[in-house]
Amino acid sequence: MAEHSLELRWTFIAWLLSCVWGTYPVLARFLQADRGLPAFQLLGAAQGMVGLVALAPRFARGEIRLSQMRSKTVLIYSIAILLRSCTSMLATRLAPAVYFQLISQLTPFFVLGLERVFGSVAIPVYFIPCLILCVIGSTMMVVGDVGHGSIGTSEILGMLSSFASTAFLSIYMVLGSRTRSDANVNEYTLLMGQVFLT
């Protein structure tokens, strides 16, 4: 009963984070396209806030050690996050936020594909039909805009950046789940690697 309650709690937190995450491309697009803020200035400000609010207190209490940063896992994870952050900023600058979100919805499929290649994760029963429906739905929305002539070079580059961002996010998620077995790496170490490299 306790395990079931804990699972529901984490499911709710994941759902809540997904809702918050849905506002990110809209806000990033607004700040870059409408307010003219540079992409990497936004990225630096966001990472600085994370470092100040989440990491500084942990570092002061000795929960994070610089020696942990030498881990190859932390380095690869941090590079994946850096590339993910850069491509997502680029994508939201070049293309409408809805395109970015449509492509981002493919992240679970990317993650499952990576897990399948590098692990022994079983493919869920309705995986293929769900993937087909998602791709068809996304394609119909984009094709509708193509018919109205509202997709140009900028939008195409933005969508390509969105695909790259989704791939790097998938790598980040897979690596994050695999670090649980590494006693020398915790979530704060990964976060610090992300902030420092970005």
Side-chain angles (χ1 to χ4, degrees), residues 99 102-103 105-106 109 127-145 163:
Y99 291 169
L102 283 172
I103 295 170
Q105 299 308 311
L106 297 174
F109 305 112
F127 172 77
I128 300 298
C130 187
L131 175 60
I132 292 171
L133 288 173
C134 282
V135 170
I136 290 174
S138 299
T139 304
M140 286 175 68
M141 286 192 68
V142 174
V143 167
D145 284 346
F163 274 111

Short mmCIF file of all heavy atoms in Angstrom, two decimals, residues 99 102-103 105-106 109 127-145 163:
data_model
loop_
_atom_site.label_atom_id
_atom_site.label_comp_id
_atom_site.label_asym_id
_atom_site.label_seq_id
_atom_site.Cartn_x
_atom_site.Cartn_y
_atom_site.Cartn_z
N TYR A 99 5.47 23.65 -32.90
CA TYR A 99 6.27 22.67 -33.63
C TYR A 99 7.25 21.97 -32.70
O TYR A 99 7.45 20.76 -32.76
CB TYR A 99 7.04 23.33 -34.78
CG TYR A 99 6.18 23.83 -35.92
CD1 TYR A 99 6.72 24.65 -36.91
CD2 TYR A 99 4.83 23.52 -36.00
CE1 TYR A 99 5.94 25.13 -37.95
CE2 TYR A 99 4.04 24.00 -37.03
CZ TYR A 99 4.60 24.80 -38.00
OH TYR A 99 3.82 25.27 -39.02
N LEU A 102 5.33 19.55 -30.55
CA LEU A 102 4.89 18.37 -31.30
C LEU A 102 6.01 17.35 -31.43
O LEU A 102 5.82 16.15 -31.24
CB LEU A 102 4.41 18.78 -32.70
CG LEU A 102 3.02 19.41 -32.79
CD1 LEU A 102 2.78 19.95 -34.19
CD2 LEU A 102 1.94 18.41 -32.41
N ILE A 103 7.20 17.84 -31.75
CA ILE A 103 8.34 16.94 -31.91
C ILE A 103 8.81 16.42 -30.57
O ILE A 103 9.22 15.26 -30.44
CB ILE A 103 9.47 17.65 -32.68
CG1 ILE A 103 8.99 17.95 -34.12
CG2 ILE A 103 10.74 16.83 -32.72
CD1 ILE A 103 9.89 18.85 -34.92
N GLN A 105 7.02 15.59 -28.16
CA GLN A 105 6.13 14.51 -27.73
C GLN A 105 6.66 13.13 -28.14
O GLN A 105 6.20 12.10 -27.64
CB GLN A 105 4.73 14.69 -28.31
CG GLN A 105 4.03 15.98 -27.89
CD GLN A 105 4.02 16.19 -26.38
OE1 GLN A 105 3.68 15.30 -25.62
NE2 GLN A 105 4.41 17.37 -25.95
N LEU A 106 7.64 13.13 -29.04
CA LEU A 106 8.23 11.85 -29.46
C LEU A 106 9.32 11.37 -28.50
O LEU A 106 9.86 10.28 -28.69
CB LEU A 106 8.83 12.00 -30.88
CG LEU A 106 7.82 12.32 -31.99
CD1 LEU A 106 8.57 12.58 -33.30
CD2 LEU A 106 6.82 11.19 -32.18
N PHE A 109 9.31 7.79 -27.13
CA PHE A 109 9.63 6.78 -28.13
C PHE A 109 11.14 6.70 -28.37
O PHE A 109 11.70 5.63 -28.54
CB PHE A 109 8.89 7.09 -29.44
CG PHE A 109 7.41 7.21 -29.27
CD1 PHE A 109 6.77 8.42 -29.43
CD2 PHE A 109 6.64 6.10 -28.92
CE1 PHE A 109 5.40 8.54 -29.27
CE2 PHE A 109 5.27 6.20 -28.75
CZ PHE A 109 4.64 7.42 -28.92
N PHE A 127 2.78 0.15 -28.13
CA PHE A 127 3.82 1.10 -28.51
C PHE A 127 3.73 1.50 -29.98
O PHE A 127 3.71 2.69 -30.31
CB PHE A 127 5.20 0.48 -28.24
CG PHE A 127 6.35 1.30 -28.77
CD1 PHE A 127 6.76 2.44 -28.10
CD2 PHE A 127 7.01 0.94 -29.94
CE1 PHE A 127 7.82 3.20 -28.57
CE2 PHE A 127 8.05 1.70 -30.43
CZ PHE A 127 8.46 2.83 -29.74
N ILE A 128 3.66 0.55 -30.87
CA ILE A 128 3.66 0.83 -32.32
C ILE A 128 2.42 1.62 -32.73
O ILE A 128 2.54 2.66 -33.40
CB ILE A 128 3.78 -0.47 -33.14
CG1 ILE A 128 5.10 -1.20 -32.80
CG2 ILE A 128 3.72 -0.17 -34.63
CD1 ILE A 128 6.35 -0.41 -33.13
N PRO A 129 1.20 1.19 -32.35
CA PRO A 129 0.02 2.00 -32.71
C PRO A 129 0.09 3.43 -32.17
O PRO A 129 -0.28 4.38 -32.86
CB PRO A 129 -1.15 1.23 -32.09
CG PRO A 129 -0.65 -0.16 -31.94
CD PRO A 129 0.81 -0.04 -31.66
N CYS A 130 0.58 3.57 -30.94
CA CYS A 130 0.68 4.90 -30.33
C CYS A 130 1.67 5.77 -31.10
O CYS A 130 1.42 6.96 -31.36
CB CYS A 130 1.11 4.75 -28.87
SG CYS A 130 1.09 6.29 -27.95
N LEU A 131 2.81 5.19 -31.48
CA LEU A 131 3.82 5.92 -32.25
C LEU A 131 3.25 6.37 -33.59
O LEU A 131 3.43 7.52 -34.01
CB LEU A 131 5.05 5.04 -32.45
CG LEU A 131 6.17 5.62 -33.34
CD1 LEU A 131 6.69 6.92 -32.75
CD2 LEU A 131 7.30 4.61 -33.50
N ILE A 132 2.55 5.47 -34.26
CA ILE A 132 1.97 5.79 -35.58
C ILE A 132 0.96 6.93 -35.46
O ILE A 132 0.97 7.88 -36.25
CB ILE A 132 1.30 4.53 -36.19
CG1 ILE A 132 2.38 3.50 -36.56
CG2 ILE A 132 0.47 4.91 -37.42
CD1 ILE A 132 1.83 2.15 -36.97
N LEU A 133 0.09 6.87 -34.44
CA LEU A 133 -0.91 7.92 -34.26
C LEU A 133 -0.27 9.28 -33.95
O LEU A 133 -0.71 10.31 -34.45
CB LEU A 133 -1.88 7.53 -33.14
CG LEU A 133 -2.87 6.40 -33.47
CD1 LEU A 133 -3.64 5.99 -32.22
CD2 LEU A 133 -3.82 6.83 -34.57
N CYS A 134 0.78 9.27 -33.13
CA CYS A 134 1.48 10.51 -32.79
C CYS A 134 2.12 11.14 -34.03
O CYS A 134 2.01 12.35 -34.25
CB CYS A 134 2.56 10.25 -31.74
SG CYS A 134 1.93 10.08 -30.07
N VAL A 135 2.77 10.30 -34.83
CA VAL A 135 3.43 10.80 -36.03
C VAL A 135 2.41 11.34 -37.03
O VAL A 135 2.59 12.40 -37.63
CB VAL A 135 4.31 9.70 -36.67
CG1 VAL A 135 4.81 10.14 -38.05
CG2 VAL A 135 5.48 9.36 -35.76
N ILE A 136 1.30 10.60 -37.20
CA ILE A 136 0.26 11.04 -38.14
C ILE A 136 -0.34 12.38 -37.68
O ILE A 136 -0.50 13.32 -38.48
CB ILE A 136 -0.85 9.98 -38.27
CG1 ILE A 136 -0.32 8.75 -39.02
CG2 ILE A 136 -2.07 10.55 -39.00
CD1 ILE A 136 -1.29 7.60 -39.07
N GLY A 137 -0.65 12.49 -36.38
CA GLY A 137 -1.23 13.72 -35.86
C GLY A 137 -0.30 14.91 -36.02
O GLY A 137 -0.72 15.99 -36.46
N SER A 138 0.97 14.72 -35.69
CA SER A 138 1.95 15.81 -35.82
C SER A 138 2.13 16.21 -37.28
O SER A 138 2.19 17.40 -37.62
CB SER A 138 3.30 15.38 -35.24
OG SER A 138 3.18 15.07 -33.87
N THR A 139 2.20 15.21 -38.15
CA THR A 139 2.39 15.48 -39.58
C THR A 139 1.21 16.25 -40.16
O THR A 139 1.39 17.18 -40.95
CB THR A 139 2.57 14.15 -40.36
OG1 THR A 139 3.67 13.42 -39.79
CG2 THR A 139 2.86 14.42 -41.82
N MET A 140 0.00 15.90 -39.74
CA MET A 140 -1.19 16.59 -40.24
C MET A 140 -1.17 18.06 -39.86
O MET A 140 -1.53 18.94 -40.66
CB MET A 140 -2.46 15.92 -39.71
CG MET A 140 -2.76 14.58 -40.37
SD MET A 140 -4.18 13.75 -39.62
CE MET A 140 -5.50 14.85 -40.11
N MET A 141 -0.73 18.37 -38.65
CA MET A 141 -0.68 19.77 -38.21
C MET A 141 0.34 20.56 -39.02
O MET A 141 0.09 21.68 -39.45
CB MET A 141 -0.33 19.84 -36.72
CG MET A 141 -1.48 19.46 -35.82
SD MET A 141 -1.16 19.87 -34.10
CE MET A 141 -1.19 21.65 -34.15
N VAL A 142 1.51 19.95 -39.23
CA VAL A 142 2.58 20.64 -39.96
C VAL A 142 2.22 20.78 -41.43
O VAL A 142 2.43 21.83 -42.04
CB VAL A 142 3.93 19.90 -39.78
CG1 VAL A 142 4.99 20.53 -40.66
CG2 VAL A 142 4.35 19.91 -38.32
N VAL A 143 1.66 19.72 -42.03
CA VAL A 143 1.29 19.75 -43.45
C VAL A 143 0.23 20.82 -43.70
O VAL A 143 0.23 21.49 -44.73
CB VAL A 143 0.79 18.37 -43.92
CG1 VAL A 143 0.10 18.45 -45.28
CG2 VAL A 143 1.96 17.40 -44.00
N GLY A 144 -0.67 21.02 -42.74
CA GLY A 144 -1.68 22.07 -42.88
C GLY A 144 -1.03 23.44 -43.01
O GLY A 144 -1.47 24.26 -43.82
N ASP A 145 0.04 23.67 -42.25
CA ASP A 145 0.75 24.96 -42.34
C ASP A 145 1.52 25.07 -43.65
O ASP A 145 1.66 26.16 -44.20
CB ASP A 145 1.70 25.13 -41.15
CG ASP A 145 0.94 25.50 -39.88
OD1 ASP A 145 -0.23 25.87 -39.99
OD2 ASP A 145 1.53 25.39 -38.79
N PHE A 163 14.21 18.07 -33.40
CA PHE A 163 14.52 16.64 -33.44
C PHE A 163 15.84 16.36 -32.71
O PHE A 163 15.95 15.40 -31.94
CB PHE A 163 14.61 16.13 -34.88
CG PHE A 163 13.29 15.73 -35.46
CD1 PHE A 163 12.70 16.47 -36.47
CD2 PHE A 163 12.62 14.59 -34.99
CE1 PHE A 163 11.47 16.10 -37.00
CE2 PHE A 163 11.40 14.21 -35.52
CZ PHE A 163 10.82 14.97 -36.53
#
